[in-house]
Amino acid sequence: MMPCVLMVSDDPLNREQWRAALTPQGYELHCADTVDQAEACLNRFPVGLVLLDAQLPDALTLTRQWRERSEVGIILLGNDAERLPALECGADDYLIQPWVPRELIARARNLLRRVHHAQPLAHPDAHLKRFADWTLDTDRRRLKACDGRETLLSHGEFQLLNVFIRNSGHTLSRDQLMDQLRNREWLPNDRSIDVLVGRLRRKLHDDPAEPELIITIHGAGYLFTAGASLAA
């Protein structure tokens, strides 16, 4: 299987230049010009390397979030001013404009090699996360109950549930939740967080009067009580 590379930029010229450099190397290439498209690609394809435009709004926030939840290789490309902040946020490498195609190819190849050797063999059901009496299909954005019934999650609900699963057992304030959910296309606020929590509780059949999965910690935020594991 050829390495899979995701190119993220809202500048068509950047994407075409990256494509021109990497296509002859035989990589499987995917493009995204929005955060939502990038997240969809990461959920759908076995991406080994992300090329991220440092000028993209929230590029550093994205780098930090992806590094917290994944070992995917991340190379940012941009001006020298963003180089150190990008590396501090978890980027593996940084190329300063104007970059040389041969250098991009060499850095991409070396990083893909390191990522490949660092990754364990994928579990065949790695896209399934089990918690309490539920299974979350991260590929299809669906919740499956123990009786087999499935429920489709909205993008916001799906994002919030993943944040809760990653932070199971830890109380998260609304500000912390907003930081992990914020992207270019959606700027959550206190009210939208509460609405999403209410919708998730309904889909999880978690009684808001006496919740067991998503507990309100008054004055502090929300606590997700169920740890997740790979579905057997």
Side-chain angles (χ1 to χ4, degrees):
M1 182 182 297
M2 296 305 298
C4 185
V5 178
L6 172 61
M7 303 176 290
V8 186
S9 175
D10 57 4
D11 185 338
L13 180 58
N14 279 341
R15 299 196 302 271
E16 285 307 310
Q17 289 176 334
W18 299 346
R19 184 188 295 276
L22 295 177
T23 294
Q25 308 307 310
Y27 298 138
E28 178 184 340
L29 302 178
H30 300 277
C31 289
D33 56 15
T34 69
V35 171
D36 282 349
Q37 289 179 8
E39 291 285 1
C41 285
L42 287 171
N43 286 329
R44 182 178 179 186
F45 303 108
V47 175
L49 171 64
V50 176
L51 298 182
L52 177 59
D53 183 357
Q55 305 302 311
L56 189 73
D58 291 332
L60 296 182
T61 300
L62 280 175
T63 300
R64 186 182 300 108
Q65 291 176 352
W66 289 340
R67 177 53 63 237
E68 287 176 352
R69 70 175 195 249
S70 171
E71 293 302 317
V72 65
I74 304 174
I75 299 178
L76 271 76
L77 298 94
N79 299 322
D80 185 53
E82 290 89 15
R83 184 175 65 87
L84 284 177
L87 295 173
E88 290 170 347
C89 286
D92 296 285
D93 209 339
Y94 194 98
L95 276 177
I96 297 173
Q97 303 278 20
W99 50 272
V100 178
R102 185 175 175 182
E103 183 179 8
L104 173 62
I105 294 168
R107 290 176 183 260
R109 182 185 298 121
N110 291 339
L111 184 51
L112 280 166
R113 186 182 299 116
R114 293 203 302 270
V115 170
H116 173 73
H117 286 304
Q119 287 178 340
L121 292 176
H123 190 285
D125 292 325
H127 63 292
L128 301 178
K129 296 179 181 179
R130 175 171 291 163
F131 61 95
D133 293 326
W134 298 90
T135 300
L136 174 64
D137 186 332
T138 59
D139 283 350
R140 300 168 58 233
R141 213 168 69 194
R142 290 177 181 271
L143 270 175
K144 186 175 182 180
C146 55
D147 62 5
R149 287 184 295 178
E150 294 187 351
T151 303
L152 178 66
L153 297 177
S154 70
H155 181 67
E157 294 163 354
F158 176 73
Q159 283 188 309
L160 181 61
L161 181 54
N162 273 296
V163 170
F164 278 142
I165 289 174
R166 292 198 304 270
N167 296 276
S168 178
H170 299 280
T171 300
L172 297 176
S173 68
R174 290 176 177 81
D175 285 342
Q176 289 173 316
L177 290 170
M178 286 189 288
D179 284 343
Q180 295 200 46
L181 293 175
R182 182 177 290 115
N183 59 43
R184 291 180 56 212
E185 318 225 330
W186 179 48
L187 298 177
N189 52 42
D190 286 1
R191 176 58 182 159
S192 62
I193 293 295
D194 293 337
V195 169
L196 280 178
V197 167
R199 282 164 34 187
L200 258 185
R201 279 176 172 159
R202 285 194 295 274
K203 291 187 176 181
L204 291 169
H205 304 162
D206 200 23
D207 183 358
E210 296 183 8
E212 297 182 359
L213 290 176
I214 307 175
I215 299 176
T216 301
I217 308 298
H218 295 289
Y222 293 103
L223 170 67
F224 188 73
T225 63
S229 61
L230 288 177

